[in-house]
Amino acid sequence: MAAEPRECVPEHPVRQRRVRRLFRRGGSDGRPGALEWLPLVLLTLAVLVGAALWFAGARGAAQLVWAAVTLVALVPAVWTTLRQLWRHQFGVDVIAVLALVGALLVREYLAGAVIAVMVATGQALEDYAQRRATRDLRALLERAPRQARRRTPDGRIEVVPLDRVAVGDRLVVGPGDVVPVDGTVEAAATLDESVVTGESQLVSRAAGEQVASGVVNAGAGFGLRAGRSAAESTYAGIVRLAEEATARKAPMVRLADRYAAAFVPFTLLLAGLAWLLSGQFARAVAVLVVATPCPLLLATPIAIVSGLSRVARRGVLVRDGGSLELLGRARTLLLDKTGTLTAGRPRAAETVVAPGGDRDELLRLAASVEQLSPHVLAAALVRQAREQGLALTEPTEVTEEPGRGVTGRVDGRLVRVGQLAGEPPDWAHRIRERAELAGRSAVWVSDGQGPLGAILLEDPVRPDARRTVRRLREAGLDRLIMVTGDRRRTAEQVAGIVGVDDVIAQCSPEEKVARVRAESDRAVTVMVGDGVNDAPALAAAHVGVAMGATGATASADVADAVLTVDRLDRLADAVEIARYARRIAVQSAAVGMGLAVVAMLVAAAGKLPPVAGAFLQEGIDVLVILNALRALGGGLRRRDVPPQTRALLDRYAGEHGEVRDVLDRLRDTADLVATNPEAAECMPALRDVHRRLVEQVLPHEAAEDRQLYPALAGPLGSAEATSTMSRAHVEISRLVDRIGGHLAQHPDGRLRRDEVPDLLAALYGLDAVLRLHLAQEEEDFFSLSPGDGQPDTR
């Protein structure tokens, strides 16, 4: 059964009512409501009635109608101005009041009526633009859930208010329902996550996966285990940000109010001089007419709020217009490493076994023992084994020593996973050195006789990190710094991959704050992080950005912007949109004010009567508002990827896991040839890895050349963008043929010592070229796909 319409979250009901009032004005599609059109319609009809009377010869009656229109507009304008002055707010509304009064004094009733229509039109257009720009933020509130279906201990399903849902409750999410709280799905689910992530493609979640509140069930009903209360869930935080994004004004808007303190005296001085030098009060009125209202006050908020709406569609919630405006002026960016530039969770990068061992069996044993451990490394091993389809066995006699490892029996065999005990054999020494050089953590697997092998874990760099860094530089950020508490060797390796300017390793939270403040003294600074330890640094930056999809609540609470989707490239989208919106705001304001000043000078010279000036100013206001609405589109450098190309990207990204399995066997075989080329198992291992290369890797590369690369020509701008990747395919094929040539010369299964160096060059060369090629594809191509699934970077 589909859920009933829902429109609020349970926390902060007073604030929610205020938010809904902000959004309920006008239609749901962004058009002004009937009541907001009414003043403009009535005033326009009155002006037209006056015009009809004028042309009918009843000029006295026409003047009376126009004077009445002027008075009708003057009364609320005076009230608004007095209220602003009482609050110590000084704006250009005073010019509108003076213009209306002046029109009445010089009996330019038509000019006064046109000013009245102009003010009403500007207000209606501004209201429309505001609602049009906040349409996406309004959609967040319209989808916010109010109730949840909870399963009772006796198996019944009850509907309860959302604030009564507690952590651990078992909920039921029906077809079409909005997921009420963050939690874990108990069965496979198909979800529409577009409201939270900005992506329109449906996403499949397997049992045990985490889902965020606010996404829509697009398939059959499923069970959900609540992981957070409603107040702490993702969607409640998004609604709070949406409210704040609509309730605040950008610094440029406040600057416009302060600018009025200089603009109003200038206008009055110019009007006074025109009157004094010419002796014609009508010239002063004409100056006041063309100075009303100030385009800066219309264009700037519309452009900024339009930018807020656009970044919300990209999965970035910016707290207010001021933060967006600062983001558009940023020059320095500091990024935390773990969880920001990297995935934030360990992944099995390589499984290394003792001579003659079985890689899959080693991983199966380790994952079986680790099933009952809450450690984050245990979760990585279990996840990796399940992704490879290995059948895990329930362990017995499991014991865990904190900091040492886990021991248990698997199929009657005693298995220990953790640190290596005793003096390791020579092959284990080499694995330890390899892990240290690569910046990886080694988890050793042993039995009663000794070590069986090791699983090397890493926190992989996000596939989109390098591309995002390049885009941020192109957008105008000229200083990018990575800050991390990790070791310097590991930090420098990540920094080299993503291409930042500086690295600050082994950095405490206090040192992060100090560095952010130091950079903030030199330029507008953005800090990006995801953990609780990043919260102080996020608060210290001009703009703090939290990776809200995976980060801690504390970091999201203090941040000025939150990435609601676990993709770093959305930060580049936000920066590009912010710069574009700010540029449009400045452009609109400058052009509008420039035209107004020119018109004021012409009016002061007596060349522009009040009526003509009123119509001219109306045109200027409409022009700057329409130009400000351009901020609703444009500014993004990246190109959208067609759905069929996304499907190809997802397909070939999935195949990379199989290619990397072959790579692991290739590396083991190369090590075997290097250490013991005369071993009996050497030639069978070579023939097996060559067969896998020919049957799995080469067809994959050929299919990419034939299908994927031509499809990427559009999103990447030209076919030349994939030419180097095609050249790598040629080199991979050549090296595979070279290995096959060596095998063809030895039907007896023996290797000669004089050919071992060339064979090793081919094996290790192929390993290096293929790993680099896969990494480049994942960074440059697969990161274009917005799907949640990341390529397997083992």
Side-chain angles (χ1 to χ4, degrees):
M1 182 176 67
E4 297 177 357
R6 296 157 178 175
E7 53 185 25
C8 69
V9 291
E11 59 169 343
H12 307 304
V14 174
R15 174 163 52 187
Q16 290 164 17
R17 287 195 295 271
R18 185 170 69 249
V19 176
R20 290 197 296 276
R21 285 198 298 270
L22 287 172
F23 286 125
R24 280 174 177 169
R25 299 174 61 191
S28 61
D29 58 355
R31 294 190 299 271
L35 291 178
E36 289 154 343
W37 277 119
L38 190 58
L40 176 59
V41 171
L42 293 178
L43 290 176
T44 304
L45 287 175
V47 172
L48 293 177
V49 168
L53 292 172
W54 179 276
F55 288 112
R59 297 193 173 185
Q63 294 279 19
L64 186 61
V65 171
W66 290 333
V69 170
T70 305
L71 284 171
V72 168
L74 179 60
V75 172
V78 169
W79 173 251
T80 300
T81 302
L82 291 176
R83 189 169 54 183
Q84 289 178 343
L85 292 175
W86 178 261
R87 296 174 180 173
H88 304 289
Q89 297 173 349
F90 187 70
V92 292
D93 289 334
V94 68
I95 300 178
V97 171
L98 293 176
L100 290 169
V101 171
L104 290 174
L105 291 177
V106 299
R107 298 186 178 182
E108 289 282 357
Y109 301 128
L110 177 57
V114 173
I115 294 172
V117 173
M118 175 183 64
V119 172
T121 303
Q123 186 61 50
L125 284 173
E126 184 179 8
D127 289 344
Y128 161 76
Q130 181 83 0
R131 273 184 303 277
R132 171 65 177 83
T134 58
R135 184 172 58 188
D136 299 284
L137 298 179
R138 187 170 57 249
L140 294 173
L141 297 174
E142 293 172 350
R143 289 175 176 244
R146 297 184 63 183
Q147 299 172 326
R149 293 187 181 93
R150 184 169 62 186
R151 195 185 299 275
T152 62
D154 59 2
R156 293 183 301 106
I157 296 176
E158 60 179 357
V159 178
V160 297
L162 203 56
D163 56 356
R164 288 178 53 190
V165 175
V167 175
D169 281 353
R170 297 186 62 197
L171 308 178
V172 176
V173 183
D177 279 5
V178 177
V179 175
V181 296
D182 295 358
T184 304
V185 296
E186 296 180 331
T190 301
L191 302 172
D192 175 5
E193 301 185 346
S194 59
V195 173
V196 176
T197 67
E199 293 300 337
S200 59
Q201 285 187 319
L202 299 181
V203 176
S204 296
R205 298 293 183 193
E209 288 196 64
Q210 301 291 319
V211 297
S213 59
V215 303
V216 180
N217 181 13
F222 62 89
L224 178 77
R225 177 77 68 172
R228 289 181 179 177
S229 66
E232 297 174 342
S233 289
T234 301
Y235 208 71
I238 291 175
V239 170
R240 285 194 297 269
L241 288 172
E243 181 230 349
E244 293 167 355
T246 58
R248 300 189 185 184
K249 297 167 69 180
M252 288 184 63
V253 180
R254 294 193 293 269
L255 178 62
D257 293 335
R258 292 196 299 270
Y259 178 75
F263 181 74
V264 171
F266 168 76
T267 301
L268 297 178
L269 178 62
L270 183 60
L273 287 174
W275 184 12
L276 179 65
L277 296 177
S278 68
Q280 300 177 17
F281 184 60
R283 290 195 184 186
V285 174
V287 171
L288 295 174
V289 167
V290 295
T292 310
C294 176
L296 185 62
L297 294 179
L298 296 176
T300 302
I302 291 171
I304 295 298
V305 175
S306 298
L308 289 173
S309 175
R310 290 191 64 203
V311 297
R313 290 203 302 270
R314 308 303 301 181
V316 184
L317 267 295
V318 180
R319 192 175 298 277
D320 53 48
S323 300
L324 187 80
E325 194 269 339
L326 284 172
L327 191 62
R329 294 196 293 119
R331 291 292 177 214
T332 302
L333 177 68
L334 291 92
L335 302 104
D336 179 54
K337 178 184 77 71
T338 305
T340 302
L341 291 173
T342 64
R345 61 181 185 180
R347 182 189 297 254
E350 188 177 358
T351 303
V352 187
V353 295
D358 185 302
R359 180 183 294 102
D360 290 344
E361 177 64 10
L362 181 78
L363 180 58
R364 188 189 74 84
L365 292 173
S368 295
V369 171
E370 293 279 22
Q371 287 182 95
L372 303 181
S373 174
H375 198 280
V376 63
L377 298 182
L381 296 181
V382 174
R383 182 172 59 250
Q384 187 68 34
R386 286 175 175 165
E387 287 177 358
Q388 293 185 212
L390 301 180
L392 303 186
T393 302
E394 183 176 349
T396 59
E397 301 178 23
V398 177
T399 59
E400 183 167 359
E401 297 179 62
R404 302 286 298 175
V406 180
T407 303
R409 290 193 177 274
V410 179
D411 299 329
R413 183 178 184 183
L414 185 64
V415 178
R416 178 184 176 84
V417 181
Q419 294 186 5
L420 190 60
E423 181 64 24
D426 290 341
W427 62 268
H429 274 298
R430 292 193 296 271
I431 294 175
R432 181 177 287 174
E433 292 173 358
R434 186 197 302 186
E436 180 65 27
L437 290 173
R440 294 169 174 170
S441 302
V443 177
W444 294 91
V445 183
S446 310
D447 64 4
Q449 279 68 48
L452 303 173
I455 301 170
L456 307 187
L457 299 173
E458 66 176 357
D459 184 9
V461 175
R462 291 178 180 268
D464 56 343
R466 186 174 181 85
R467 174 183 290 274
T468 300
V469 167
R470 287 201 303 265
R471 288 182 58 200
L472 290 169
R473 290 191 190 280
E474 294 170 357
L477 289 161
D478 48 31
R479 182 165 169 76
L480 284 84
I481 305 168
M482 187 181 79
V483 291
T484 178
D486 213 337
R487 302 188 305 269
R488 173 158 292 277
R489 177 187 289 274
T490 304
E492 289 177 345
Q493 288 177 347
V494 174
I497 292 173
V498 301
V500 296
D501 299 312
D502 195 8
V503 181
I504 306 172
Q506 295 176 312
C507 187
S508 67
E510 293 77 11
E511 291 170 333
K512 284 185 182 181
V513 172
R515 187 55 183 258
V516 168
R517 288 175 176 167
E519 295 295 337
S520 298
D521 291 339
R522 290 192 285 267
V524 177
T525 300
V526 179
M527 171 70 194
V528 185
D530 79 316
V532 173
N533 63 329
D534 296 323
L538 295 179
H542 287 110
V543 182
V545 181
M547 301 290 291
T550 57
T553 303
S555 61
D557 284 346
V558 303
D560 301 292
V562 176
L563 301 182
T564 62
V565 57
D566 191 21
R567 288 180 61 87
L568 186 61
D569 62 343
R570 298 308 171 83
L571 174 62
D573 290 351
V575 171
E576 291 175 358
I577 291 171
R579 290 193 183 280
Y580 183 71
R582 182 175 179 273
R583 185 165 65 249
I584 292 296
V586 172
Q587 179 191 90
S588 300
V591 171
M593 291 304 300
L595 291 175
V597 170
V598 170
M600 290 164 62
L601 293 174
V602 175
K607 304 299 183 182
L608 189 65
V611 174
F615 283 110
L616 177 61
Q617 185 58 46
E618 175 80 357
I620 293 174
D621 290 339
V622 172
L623 175 66
V624 297
I625 290 173
L626 294 177
N627 187 67
L629 285 173
R630 291 172 50 220
L632 287 167
L636 278 176
R637 297 172 182 268
R638 81 174 199 174
R639 304 186 181 203
D640 289 331
V641 181
Q644 58 270 28
T645 305
R646 290 184 184 181
L648 286 174
L649 287 169
D650 292 341
R651 169 190 163 188
Y652 288 107
E655 292 180 4
H656 269 204
E658 300 175 4
V659 175
R660 290 185 184 277
D661 286 339
V662 178
L663 265 177
D664 290 341
R665 298 181 185 277
L666 174 66
R667 178 61 181 265
D668 289 345
T669 302
D671 291 345
L672 177 62
V673 173
T675 56
N676 193 4
E678 297 178 355
E681 64 269 23
C682 192
M683 287 303 294
L686 276 170
R687 296 190 186 280
D688 177 68
V689 76
H690 182 262
R691 178 185 60 80
R692 292 174 182 269
L693 288 167
V694 171
E695 294 179 358
Q696 293 178 247
V697 176
L698 293 186
H700 167 83
E701 307 298 338
E704 284 184 332
D705 247 335
R706 186 173 60 255
Q707 296 179 338
L708 179 61
Y709 290 0
L712 289 173
L716 295 176
S718 73
E720 292 300 315
T722 60
S723 60
T724 55
M725 296 293 104
S726 295
R727 177 63 182 85
H729 287 171
V730 175
E731 181 64 16
I732 291 168
S733 180
R734 187 186 70 82
L735 289 170
V736 172
D737 289 343
R738 186 169 160 188
I739 296 170
H742 280 284
L743 293 175
Q745 295 176 11
H746 301 285
D748 58 349
R750 294 282 184 177
L751 282 175
R752 298 194 312 269
R753 283 197 168 272
D754 61 333
E755 63 181 329
V756 168
D758 185 71
L759 179 59
L760 286 176
L763 291 170
Y764 285 123
L766 179 59
D767 178 76
V769 170
L770 196 47
R771 288 184 189 276
L772 176 62
H773 177 68
L774 296 181
Q776 288 176 324
E777 283 188 330
E778 289 162 4
E779 292 173 4
D780 294 336
F781 301 158
F782 297 158
S783 62
L784 293 173
S785 176
D788 282 331
Q790 300 289 0
D792 186 349
T793 54
R794 286 179 293 120

